[in-house]
Structure formats: C-alpha cells, structure tokens
Amino acid sequence: MAIVSGKNDVTFKSAGFNLAGHLYTPEGFSESGSYPAIIYSPPFNQIKEMAGSHYGRHLAERGYVVLVFDHIGYGESEGDIKYFENGYTKVRTIWDAVSYMGTLPFVDRENMFGLGVCASGGYMALAAVTDKRMKAIASVVGMLSNKSSFFDTMDRDTIMGLLSMQNAARQKAYETGEVDYVDGLGYEGVHPSTLEPGTARAEGFDYYMTPRAGKETYPRFSYMSPAFMIMSQMLTDALAYAPVLYTPFIGITGTNAMSPGDTGPLTKAFFEQASDPKEMKLIEGATHVSLYDNQDHIAQAVEAMDAFFKKHGGAAAA
C-alpha cells in the first residue's frame, strides 16, 4: 500500500496480534525521502483517534513521520483481553512499534524518537531504558511513578485489601476464561456537581464522560478495565530507572498540573533523578487534560520536543 501525505492506515505485528495504526506524514511526503520518526503511545485506555491524532498532525507538520496506534486489545487492534492497561505489554508493543518503523524505507533510523502521554510517559521511559534505537524521548504529563501513585499514598491495609480483590479477579479469569470489568476511572455514577471545579478529577470527567472525548465521539473507547488491571500497573515504575535511562529526556507538563496528586510533580521528580541530557518544559496555563486536546498547549509542547529531538538526534536532524 502506498503511503501518502497526511494520515495513513497501517498495521503491524506485536505478540502475534495485528495492531491498527495511523501513520502521519508531512506535506509533500515522498516514499523515496528520508524522514525523522516518532513512536507515540497514549494515555490510559485511549485509542489512536483521541489525543494521538492531535500530536500526530502537529508533529507531521514539523517534518516527522509519526506512528499512532491502538495497543493490544484496544480500538481496532487484536488482543486476547480488551482494554487491559498492562504496562509490561505496552512496553513490549512500543519496542515492536520501533521495529516496525525501522522497516519503513523512508524512516531515518538515526532519527527515531519516542513520545508517551500520561500513563505512557512511564511506559515510554521504561521502553527507552533498554531500547536505544530511540535517540531521545519525551513525556507529556507523564505518570512516571506508579509506585508513588499507589504504595506511597496508601497504607498497608488498604493495599492488601485492594490486591486481594485484584487477585480474586485474576483467579476467576484463569479458571473460567471470563474477565470481569470495572470502571477504571471511577466516574460511573458520579455527578459533575460533586467534583471540585478546577481539579484534575473534574477535568478528567469533563474529558472522558462527555462528548468531548467520550463514547459519543469515540465509540471504540472504553473506560472499563479488567478487574485485575492494577496488579501490573502498580509495578511499572519508571522513576526507579531514571538514573540509568541514558537516553536524552524532555519532560513536558503544565503550570496548572503541578499540585500535589497531579502528574506535574511526577515529571519533576523523574527529571531531577534522570540521567543527562535532560530538559523540563512547563506550558503556561496548561493542565493535565488540556495537553490532550487544547491545540495551543499541544503546539507549545510539540515545539519544545521538536527542538529537543533536533538537538539530540542523528546528523540528519541537525
């Protein structure tokens, strides 16, 4: 299939499954050319049509070929368990996405980069610890420390109770083949009037539970997750590997995402511990969720990572 300028439907393999992706290419794209490339990985449970479509378009306008795809079990991709936010699987799929991009004759292998948003900020960082085919990576409002989000904020009894339920759901799935699903975002039955305005939780509700980005707009999206999801999520902690990342890193977040409990402090903590070279960029006025679909905030984030990638890529990016 010929690749043209703009958005292209593509497929590639990971763990034996066919994964669906969109490949964004620059205006005037030619298959005989050579282009820097970016592998994009999304926030929790998102599909390729959501935040990734904005980043794909903005980055293609800056000359990149960008792969935005549905992870295993998400959207249009095949998978054995639907909407399973398994960090280990997603890291492996990022590696396979890098491999796929390396097979494309118009991709400059010396200028391949990674971008992870929210949960995938952590997955992309973990993937890059051992995958040096990506010359630099960026996180946007990255969930870079799941240990902090669970073990550092819950007492022992709470953790043990949570894990008991997760373990039981895993046992049932193994014995019966039936997967129980729960509301992974915790918004079911919640009325927006009960949420404190201006908080990350209220903003998340406005994004996922309304036509802004809910099922009315993205029918393949689901906030439902396997009831054993947290077992793997609790273990995927990128912060522990920050000192040995050894890959250039830029952490991007918003000035309005820096409150305790939001993701900005996780970006700051990762940045402080990460190996050099590294940069941190604060987008003025941006919140966690505004960096999913606010075009001005996304354009500023893309400008920062573009400059960083050009600084740390191969000779062709200079």
Side-chain angles (χ1 to χ4, degrees):
M1 181 188 72
I3 301 296
V4 299
S5 297
K7 184 178 74 174
N8 299 264
D9 292 330
V10 296
T11 60
F12 67 99
K13 289 277 191 181
S14 182
F17 296 111
N18 290 311
L19 303 193
H22 289 153
L23 193 69
Y24 292 85
T25 60
E27 185 177 356
F29 170 83
S30 170
E31 289 189 284
S32 63
S34 181
Y35 300 88
I38 294 174
I39 293 85
Y40 169 93
S41 191
F44 166 87
N45 270 26
Q46 283 199 21
I47 57 175
K48 62 185 180 299
E49 291 81 7
M50 297 170 79
S53 66
H54 303 302
Y55 282 93
R57 177 174 56 82
H58 278 272
L59 286 162
E61 289 173 355
R62 289 179 173 266
Y64 295 91
V65 171
V66 187
L67 176 63
V68 179
F69 63 94
D70 289 328
H71 275 277
I72 292 171
Y74 286 84
E76 295 181 291
S77 289
E78 296 175 348
D80 51 348
I81 303 175
K82 293 294 290 182
Y83 303 105
F84 183 14
E85 189 72 12
N86 185 330
Y88 295 104
T89 299
K90 289 196 167 184
V91 167
R92 185 255 171 89
T93 303
I94 289 169
W95 289 337
D96 289 338
V98 176
S99 297
Y100 165 69
M101 292 291 270
T103 69
L104 301 178
F106 47 82
V107 165
D108 176 4
R109 291 192 185 188
E110 294 305 310
N111 283 290
M112 291 200 295
F113 308 98
L115 166 59
V117 180
C118 189
S120 284
Y123 307 148
M124 187 60 70
L126 286 168
V129 169
T130 56
D131 194 336
K132 302 308 177 185
R133 294 173 296 177
M134 292 184 287
K135 304 307 179 186
I137 62 167
S139 75
V140 174
V141 291
M143 287 288 296
L144 289 153
S145 179
N146 284 344
K147 178 177 179 291
S148 297
S149 300
F150 290 100
F151 291 102
D152 294 349
T153 59
M154 300 178 182
D155 61 29
R156 178 171 177 163
D157 289 343
T158 302
I159 288 171
M160 293 300 287
L162 177 61
L163 288 176
S164 177
M165 292 186 292
Q166 297 279 312
N167 297 165
R170 186 100 199 184
Q171 188 69 30
K172 176 183 177 180
Y174 183 85
E175 292 180 2
T176 68
E178 297 177 6
V179 176
D180 288 336
Y181 283 81
V182 297
D183 173 11
L185 293 175
Y187 285 132
E188 280 198 338
V190 173
H191 193 277
S193 64
T194 65
L195 301 173
E196 183 180 349
T199 62
R201 183 155 172 76
E203 192 182 23
F205 187 98
D206 181 68
Y207 183 80
Y208 286 112
M209 305 302 287
T210 72
R212 178 179 172 189
K215 289 187 71 67
E216 305 97 320
T217 304
Y218 302 107
R220 296 189 188 94
F221 165 73
S222 176
Y223 55 81
M224 302 298 287
S225 303
F228 48 77
M229 174 195 73
I230 292 175
M231 285 176 63
S232 56
Q233 192 179 22
M234 292 171 80
L235 294 174
T236 48
D237 189 75
L239 182 61
Y241 289 89
V244 294
L245 175 60
Y246 303 153
T247 294
F249 165 80
I250 180 169
I252 302 170
T253 189
T255 58
N256 291 347
M258 296 301 295
S259 300
D262 211 326
T263 52
L266 300 180
T267 298
K268 184 174 184 290
F270 189 91
F271 168 78
E272 289 173 347
Q273 295 193 37
S275 55
D276 290 321
K278 59 187 177 182
E279 291 182 13
M280 183 170 170
K281 172 67 174 180
L282 290 174
I283 307 298
E284 185 65 36
T287 65
H288 181 98
V289 176
S290 78
L291 281 159
Y292 290 175
D293 64 354
N294 180 295
Q295 299 305 307
D296 178 57
H297 293 167
I298 289 172
Q300 293 180 61
V302 164
E303 181 179 16
M305 71 182 77
D306 176 38
F308 188 79
F309 290 165
K310 283 183 167 62
K311 188 186 302 184
H312 295 289

